[in-house]
């Protein structure tokens, strides 16, 4: 079977499972062949070996069962960096890049060494992206899931950041050993029965489930953050939110931080995406 024939057959197989069946098929075939997907075009008429065809078919079947492409190829780009990902962690989303952007802007304004925490680090994408661009900070990356922390560890090593990032197993801020200048978190905030079936079937429930109204983690984290943020120097906390949660999370933030400046930051699609809390 030629690459062209394999791609046509795979795209047909994926047409009910994916909105982008041709693209998915090409990315997966490139992964099996160890090529960039742009190289596939030039090899359309080459033949697949039996082992390659079997490996490709296995991936197409997993994709047909709605498994995310990132798990099938084992990696995902985030903030210009490549991260190892698998079923143990949420796939990093472009929506989260705005939180990294805001964090780096705040860090640059401080002009001093800082202690940063990333609560619910998952793959470690936020901690790694921030540390990579701010060599003067120390980061505690916390997760309740030991399995997720193993993936985060692999990404800390992949990006050579073991001297800057310390991984901690714990619930919320409970294991943080010192006051924090900047706390970052993309906590679970979705309503499980409202998300895509593929996400619900394959990504970790602990990374998604925000409780009955999606706000459980903010109710726990906001008061806890108020106890751990450094006093006497400027400090800040940035929380990713669902686009519909802005007013509720701002109200929770105001209750825990009555004297802070609190603003909603929008993403590139002009949806509310981050609640930013700053105290002098
Ligand atoms: C939405 S995912 C975010 C992962 C990653 N930071 C990202 O942005 O892609 C939430 C993460 O929080 C972790 N988590 C859930 N509840 C937690 C808790 N109480 N304390 C610490 N981590 C928690 C989950 O295991 C998951 O890795």
């Amino acid at each position: 079977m030629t690459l062209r024939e394999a791609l046509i057959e795979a795209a047909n197989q994926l047409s009910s499972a994916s909105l982008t069946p041709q693209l998915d098929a090409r990315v997966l075939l490139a992964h099996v062949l160890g090529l960039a997907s742009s190289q596939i075009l030039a090899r359309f008429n080459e033949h697949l070996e039996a082992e390659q065809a079997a490996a490709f078919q296995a991936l197409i079947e997993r994709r047909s069962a709605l498994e995310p492409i990132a798990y099938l190829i084992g990696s995902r780009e985030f903030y210009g960096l490549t991260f190892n990902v698998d079923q143990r962690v949420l796939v990093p989303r472009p929506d989260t890049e705005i939180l990294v952007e805001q964090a780096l802007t705040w860090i640059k304004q401080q002009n001093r060494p800082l202690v940063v925490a990333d609560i619910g680090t998952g793959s470690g994408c936020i901690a790694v992206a921030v540390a990579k661009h701010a060599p003067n900070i120390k980061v505690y990356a916390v997760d309740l899931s030991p399995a997720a922390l193993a993936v985060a560890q692999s990404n800390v090593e992949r990006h050579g950041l073991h001297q800057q990032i310390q991984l901690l197993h714990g619930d919320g801020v409970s294991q943080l050993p010192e006051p924090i200048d900047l706390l970052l978190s993309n906590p679970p905030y979705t309503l499980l029965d409202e998300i895509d079936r593929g996400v619900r079937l394959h990504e970790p429930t602990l990374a998604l489930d925000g409780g009955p109204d999606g706000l459980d983690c903010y109710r726990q984290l906001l008061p806890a953050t108020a106890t751990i943020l450094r006093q006497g120097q400027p400090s800040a906390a940035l929380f990713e939110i669902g686009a519909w949660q802005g007013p509720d999370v701002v109200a929770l933030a105001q209750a825990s931080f009555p004297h802070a400046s609190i603003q909603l930051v929008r993403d590139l699609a002009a949806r509310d995406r981050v609640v930013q809390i700053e105290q002098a």
Side-chain angles (χ1 to χ4, degrees):
M1 183 187 273
T2 65
L3 270 58
R4 178 201 297 272
E5 289 162 347
L7 283 171
I8 291 171
E9 196 176 307
N12 279 337
Q13 248 181 289
L14 291 179
S15 58
S16 56
S18 169
L19 293 173
T20 53
Q22 281 97 354
L23 178 64
D24 291 9
R26 196 180 328 156
V27 168
L28 294 175
L29 185 57
H31 176 68
V32 166
L33 299 180
L35 300 170
S37 63
S38 55
Q39 293 174 291
I40 291 282
L41 218 65
R43 300 182 182 219
F44 257 5
N45 296 321
E46 291 180 17
H47 283 261
L48 275 180
E49 289 169 18
E51 262 178 30
Q52 294 169 330
F56 182 48
Q57 185 54 31
L59 291 181
I60 293 300
E61 277 164 25
R62 287 172 64 187
R63 182 69 190 128
S64 300
L66 305 179
E67 196 165 333
I69 291 275
Y71 292 166
L72 301 180
I73 64 173
S75 66
R76 175 60 133 233
E77 301 291 308
F78 176 82
Y79 211 74
L81 302 166
T82 304
F83 289 86
N84 305 324
V85 294
D86 62 29
Q87 290 82 352
R88 293 172 290 177
V89 294
L90 188 88
V91 177
R93 308 292 206 269
D95 297 341
T96 305
E97 292 178 336
I98 189 76
L99 186 143
V100 171
E101 199 69 48
Q102 290 293 118
L104 289 171
T105 301
W106 190 86
I107 289 166
K108 280 183 191 124
Q109 287 163 354
Q110 306 316 307
N111 207 17
R112 62 188 159 98
L114 298 170
V115 182
V116 176
D118 172 23
I119 308 298
T121 199
S123 62
C125 61
I126 295 173
V128 165
V130 170
K132 195 84 190 168
H133 289 88
N136 214 10
I137 63 170
K138 166 163 99 179
V139 184
Y140 293 109
V142 181
D143 210 287
L144 191 54
S145 157
L149 284 172
V151 179
Q153 175 75 45
S154 77
N155 284 314
V156 169
E157 281 162 18
R158 178 173 188 148
H159 294 286
L161 291 169
H162 51 280
Q163 292 191 328
Q164 258 183 285
I165 300 179
Q166 186 177 335
L167 296 164
L168 295 173
H169 178 225
D171 185 353
V173 307
S174 63
Q175 297 304 310
L176 294 174
E178 59 178 314
I180 300 298
D181 297 291
L182 174 63
L183 185 137
L184 307 173
S185 185
N186 174 18
Y189 58 72
T190 59
L191 306 177
L192 283 186
D193 46 8
E194 287 186 8
I195 54 180
D196 277 1
R197 197 157 156 262
V199 173
R200 198 175 62 235
L201 282 176
H202 294 285
E203 301 197 51
T205 303
L206 184 62
L208 297 167
D209 186 5
D213 64 357
L215 298 171
D216 278 5
C217 260
Y218 304 107
R219 286 194 191 93
Q220 179 200 346
L221 262 180
L222 281 160
T225 300
T227 68
I228 195 82
L229 277 194
R230 194 185 300 286
Q231 303 296 321
Q233 299 244 48
S235 58
L238 302 178
F239 294 91
E240 179 168 326
I241 58 166
W244 64 97
Q245 292 172 318
D248 288 333
V249 181
V250 165
L252 289 169
Q254 281 164 340
S256 292
F257 293 91
H259 307 299
S261 144
I262 298 171
Q263 57 159 327
L264 270 174
V265 181
R266 294 186 157 181
D267 61 21
L268 292 176
R271 293 168 304 201
D272 290 343
R273 185 57 63 196
V274 169
V275 170
Q276 177 152 350
I277 303 164
E278 291 179 76
Q279 51 185 26

